[in-house]
Amino acid sequence: MHERARVPCPGLRGRGLLERAVGFALASVQAVTPEMMPRRTPCASWDLEMLLLHLHDSLTALHEGAASGRVALERPPPGGDGDPVSSVRVSAVRLLRATGAPARVEVGDRGLGHDLMAAAGAVEVAVHGWDVAQASGERRPVPAGLADDLLKVCPLVLPEPRGALFADPVDAAPDAPAGERLIALLGRRPL
């Protein structure tokens, strides 16, 4: 994590944010059918199947951190049971059932607080939930309250400079709802 990740965020409740983000992502995958897997997504050069496998991998890594206090940097290739939607659902349930989360989580050779890891995971999961909703044709927005809370933690969890993992922000309308501002901050064009 970058230096700003060590700054405390008063009232940060990463676990609650993560649970809400997972709920949104699970609602977003409900409409996905096997025929939709080749569809393009808002993530440049990714189809829906690749996105779902990435979301599964992210949920699995978050579970690993929550359950064991360590996230391996070297991860096996995303896989699952052959059904990407089922894989997302199973990994989401495992994450939500993880208990006894350690206060600190080791990610490679760095440590960060569990709440901060959960908040970063919430941003990832919510935005990819939005991506899935767009690709499936549901066009579901990130819920306003969740988006507003995620916007507050983004300065703590988004690296500067962004590098290859995160797209540069795009402009959102000045009066755009929180969900559209969140999506724009993470490099997606609000629809």
Side-chain angles (χ1 to χ4, degrees):
M1 286 266 105
H2 51 90
E3 196 63 31
R4 288 183 303 154
R6 295 187 181 134
V7 177
C9 179
L12 177 65
R13 299 285 184 259
R15 176 69 184 190
L17 279 176
L18 184 57
E19 288 171 357
R20 291 165 49 211
V22 168
F24 170 68
L26 286 172
S28 294
V29 301
Q30 292 299 329
V32 175
T33 64
E35 297 76 30
M36 294 178 182
M37 293 303 153
R39 288 187 181 179
R40 304 303 323 149
T41 71
C43 300
S45 74
W46 283 26
D47 64 24
L48 186 52
E49 182 175 23
M50 292 166 66
L51 176 61
L52 289 168
L53 291 173
H54 172 71
L55 181 55
H56 161 70
D57 186 54
S58 296
L59 291 163
T60 300
L62 288 164
H63 174 261
E64 187 178 316
S68 72
R70 179 171 291 291
V71 177
L73 291 181
E74 304 255 340
R75 306 204 54 78
D81 65 4
D83 175 3
V85 172
S86 177
S87 294
V88 166
R89 288 178 180 144
V90 168
S91 58
V93 169
R94 283 185 183 141
L95 172 59
L96 293 174
R97 288 184 176 168
T99 59
R104 283 191 71 67
V105 178
E106 300 300 318
V107 181
D109 64 347
R110 302 200 178 192
L112 69 153
H114 180 270
D115 271 347
L116 190 58
M117 181 201 73
V123 171
E124 165 97 355
V125 171
V127 171
H128 286 321
W130 182 86
D131 293 333
V132 170
Q134 305 318 297
S136 72
E138 288 289 301
R139 306 280 188 243
R140 177 186 316 271
V142 177
L146 174 60
D148 190 52
D149 290 344
L150 291 174
L151 282 166
K152 292 173 187 169
V153 300
C154 279
L156 299 173
V157 300
L158 290 178
E160 290 295 337
R162 294 214 175 166
L165 293 178
F166 298 94
D168 289 329
V170 299
D171 291 330
D175 60 345
E180 289 184 16
R181 292 193 321 270
L182 176 67
I183 295 308
L185 179 64
L186 294 164
R188 288 141 172 92
R189 300 236 175 254
L191 301 175

